[in-house]
Amino acid sequence: MIAPARGARHFESWRHALAAAVTDPDELLALLGLDRALAPAARRAARRFGLKVPRGYVARMRRGDPADPLLRQVLPLDEEERDTPGFGADPVGDLAAATAPGVLTKYRGRALLITTGACAVHCRYCFRREFPYPDVALTPARLAAAIESLAADPELKEVILSGGDPLALPTARLAEITAGLGRLTGLERLRLHTRTPIVLPERVDAPLTDWLGQLPWRRIVVLHANHPRELSPEVVAACGRLAGAGATLLNQSVLLAGVNDDADVLAELSEALFAAGALPYYLHLLDRVSGTAHFEVPAARARALHRGLLERLPGYLVPRLVREAPGSASKLPAGWDGHSA
Ligand SMILES: *Cc1c(COP(=O)(O)O)cnc(C)c1O
Ligand code: SF4
């Protein structure tokens, strides 16, 4: 066998792993030794938002357990077909916050750029599962317009690359985007919001850390892990590589019924994150997007879980429990606004 160049080999391997993700409900059930009776419902719900899960993530699930907390995050269910009052397509007011196609400016000093609609995994509870990504696909003209609009904000200190998941893009594409951001003279920080290192740790390859390491701004990577069992040794190693490229590592989780609505599990997640070099940042109440009502943890129960964390952990390992309200100037600490169960 001929050994390809180092960069090329790394590049190829994550693209291949991503392309080989499981997308067929029957296959997922077979891999986990689960009852095929779950398949018709999964196929129905997957018509609206497809199943997608990398094989390395499937390998962390418990075989034969339909209630596995990792499986629950990715397996389409009949419950998604249910209409629930209060749940809609754009629960957090993303569309009203667009200052240019793909640029969401909700808070002072920072703006969020939708870099792609693609992700390495499809999370059933995703708050952007109904987002009209094709309308904002970052063509060269749209990227120029986005940078124009960012440049017009004199207070802007931080740009957040989001999506979808920015690490679903090739590194060369990320480099084009950050080259464009070089025009923003007031920019101090670049942040990535990404779940990819958790579900596809091989994505954190040498070209990616080279790119990250050479950026002229402070770098923050906000990971998205929800359960301690997601932090496999490969994920911990990927976090180490991100930190080695100079990134501050934080994590945001979503509080999800049947996944992590347990103070011991959440405490274990915080400990595992810290062991991987990441601090817990936010614990989000579910955003009420259509088809996700079965994941909701009532706010009163969420506050009790959060209290449980305060009682178990040092303060720096307790994430802020927040919810997002359309039109507000920040994520809101849960409980500030009388929003109750
Ligand atoms: C959540 C979010 C941010 C980041 O908020 P922080 O409190 O800084 O983490 C920025 N912009 C938008 C549009 C967001 O939804
Ligand atoms: S990785 Fe994030 S954006 Fe992508 S499906 Fe999951 S929650 Fe949604």
Side-chain angles (χ1 to χ4, degrees), residues 49 119 121-123 125-128 133 163-165 195 224:
F49 181 48
C119 293
V121 64
H122 286 177
C123 311
Y125 54 85
C126 177
F127 71 119
R128 288 206 185 110
Y133 289 116
D165 194 316
R195 186 152 160 72
H224 171 182

Side-chain angles (χ1 to χ4, degrees), residues 168-184:
L169 291 172
T171 303
R173 184 77 185 115
L174 293 170
E176 283 167 19
I177 294 171
T178 48
L181 297 178
R183 258 194 59 194
L184 306 175

Side-chain angles (χ1 to χ4, degrees), residues 21 28-29 78 100 109 178 181-182 186 190 212 216 223-224 254 287-289:
L28 179 61
L29 296 170
D78 257 344
T178 48
L181 297 178
L190 184 84
L212 196 60
L223 302 164
H224 171 182
V254 183
D287 293 319
R288 293 183 152 177
V289 74

